[in-house]
Amino acid sequence: MIGEPSPPAGAPVTVLHVPGDHDYVAHTADERVPGVVLLDAPRAPGRGWAPSPALEATWVAEHAHLFDVLHLHFGFEGRTPQQLRDLVTALHGARKLLVLTAHDLQNPHLADQRPYEALLDVLVPAADAALTLTEGAAAEISRRWGVDAVVVPHPHIAPLDEVGLPRAPRAPDGERVVGLHLKSLRANLVALPVLRSLAAAVAALPGVRLRVDVHDEALDPAFGRHDAELVAWLRRAHDDGDLDLRAHGRFDDAELRDYLRSLDVSVLAYGHGTHSGWLELCHDLGTPVLAGPVGHLREQQPLVEADLLDPDDVARGLARALAGPSGLPGAAATAADRREQRREVALAHRDLYRRLVGVARAGSTTSPSTSSSGATA
């Protein structure tokens, strides 16, 4: 149990989530846990990604009357350390609280981590409370910043009515599918070396096919992360029958779930990172995952870990993963477990917000970030 419900206390706490339009954020609340009013942060105008205006000190100064807590999750890479210091000053000057969930201690979208670390150096010590998803990440936060982070597990990603549904039965002699989705070749992807290991490993496993998906844009030489050597290798391997290459646009949520259900193993070819929403979605859908020893993935959900640059170790890992969720204790989620976890996650957030607001309103000198939360710290 993450935390027991607190007694009803005062008016609801209004929380501004940044970003607001994300499944993780939506699933940190639950209709069975009243007492929190959620606001979605404004989005930057125009096409493409940009940091939310809610991360600007001037926006906070104009809109601070709308919320009690700004809860920041991710999407602050486009800010500078000084802009974030100004944000913190504006929040505290308006007597508003900053909560940070440290999803990423290494940013998967960046090769050079130094600019991102400089942002964390501002946010983690300045937050009125820091949360993270695993004990290992909390220990890392304690070592790096001397901050005691509250651990609240990642809730479900798939809709609850799709969690734990029986997978389509595979024929005993049917082809098994190992999938690696390259998406748009984000910075933490170790693509070609892992693909070479995977192709060699799959070739040694009878009745197994390697499916590789990639977004169309990554095949365009004008695309910023285009890798000509990788694309040439993929096309040659596809023509030689070593893999099944699928190039397409981005899946919507339903298409992504259908894709993962079609796989017998999903491979995460990450070279760095901290946690993974993809792993959580695979857990919801009962799709086994093979990954390297990256970040704190092994603490999130059951997976098979292997040296993805060693074809023999990959082959051994695939053999384990192809045994299915039954071969990995706890690998298959159930809707009942995920529903109860969501209630507990919502309680942990609600009770933390209440405690922070109560301390702030009482003018206490107690540090909220180190006070007991009733959660696993």
Side-chain angles (χ1 to χ4, degrees):
M1 225 21 199
I2 294 172
E4 293 298 330
S6 297
V13 178
T14 302
V15 180
L16 176 71
H17 281 288
V18 182
D21 54 347
H22 194 280
D23 286 337
Y24 168 88
V25 173
H27 297 168
T28 60
D30 189 284
E31 61 184 8
R32 297 166 293 175
V33 181
V36 178
V37 175
L38 300 181
L39 301 178
D40 288 350
R43 301 191 65 166
R47 302 186 62 180
W49 180 86
S52 169
L55 299 182
E56 298 173 6
T58 53
W59 189 95
V60 167
E62 295 173 5
H63 298 88
H65 63 284
L66 297 176
F67 60 91
D68 301 303
V69 177
L70 189 153
H71 191 153
L72 178 57
H73 298 272
F74 31 77
F76 49 85
E77 301 92 323
R79 303 280 88 184
T80 67
Q82 186 57 53
Q83 287 171 324
L84 292 182
R85 283 191 284 269
D86 292 343
L87 171 70
V88 172
T89 298
L91 286 167
H92 290 164
R95 302 183 63 82
K96 304 301 175 180
L97 296 155
L98 173 63
V99 172
L100 173 71
T101 295
H103 295 257
D104 298 315
L105 301 178
Q106 290 186 313
N107 192 300
H109 300 283
L110 301 174
D112 181 0
Q113 294 296 310
R114 289 172 297 180
Y116 183 72
E117 290 169 355
L119 302 180
L120 292 178
D121 285 343
V122 174
L123 290 172
V124 176
D128 297 286
L131 294 85
T132 193
L133 308 178
T134 57
E135 295 286 352
E140 187 175 344
I141 290 168
S142 179
R143 286 194 303 270
R144 290 171 64 176
W145 293 285
V147 169
D148 294 330
V150 177
V151 177
V152 181
H154 197 302
H156 65 99
I157 290 289
L160 283 171
D161 61 2
E162 295 187 30
V163 171
L165 292 179
R167 290 169 59 81
R170 269 56 168 177
D173 57 350
E175 186 177 56
R176 314 299 292 280
V177 181
V178 172
L180 172 57
H181 200 317
L182 301 174
K183 297 188 275 188
S184 294
L185 307 181
R186 73 181 187 183
N188 74 332
L189 192 69
V190 183
L192 190 50
V194 171
L195 277 165
R196 287 177 170 142
S197 292
L198 266 179
V202 167
L205 296 171
V208 178
R209 169 170 59 93
L210 175 59
R211 171 176 168 173
V212 178
D213 286 66
V214 64
H215 292 156
D216 291 319
E217 63 184 4
L219 304 182
D220 183 351
F223 181 64
R225 293 189 297 276
H226 177 78
D227 184 331
E229 182 185 7
L230 169 65
V231 171
W233 187 92
L234 284 170
R235 287 174 169 155
R236 184 167 58 250
H238 176 78
D239 292 342
D240 291 344
D242 296 331
L243 56 84
D244 177 12
L245 179 62
R246 311 280 186 95
H248 49 74
R250 296 171 187 269
F251 289 142
D252 64 24
D253 290 346
E255 290 169 338
L256 177 58
R257 295 193 296 272
D258 287 343
Y259 159 75
L260 289 174
R261 288 190 191 96
S262 75
L263 303 181
D264 294 283
V265 181
S266 180
V267 179
L268 302 183
Y270 300 161
H272 66 269
T274 308
H275 300 113
S276 170
W278 190 280
L279 173 59
E280 295 288 344
L281 182 56
C282 286
H283 178 64
D284 289 340
L285 302 176
T287 302
V289 168
L290 177 71
V294 171
H296 304 287
L297 301 186
R298 69 177 70 89
E299 291 186 53
Q300 273 192 263
Q301 297 297 349
L303 53 76
V304 176
E305 206 171 78
D307 179 353
L308 298 185
L309 303 184
D310 179 345
D312 292 334
D313 203 31
V314 171
R316 288 189 290 269
L318 286 176
R320 282 188 62 205
L322 285 166
S326 60
L328 299 173
T334 69
D337 286 347
R338 282 299 221 182
R339 184 175 290 107
E340 176 58 18
Q341 183 196 45
R342 178 165 172 177
R343 188 184 73 88
E344 294 177 356
V345 166
L347 281 170
H349 282 82
R350 195 269 311 270
D351 292 352
L352 176 62
Y353 299 147
R354 280 183 173 176
R355 194 160 17 254
L356 292 172
V357 170
V359 168
R361 289 175 179 168
S364 170
T365 58
T366 302
S367 171
S369 62
T370 57
S371 63
S372 172
S373 71
T376 304

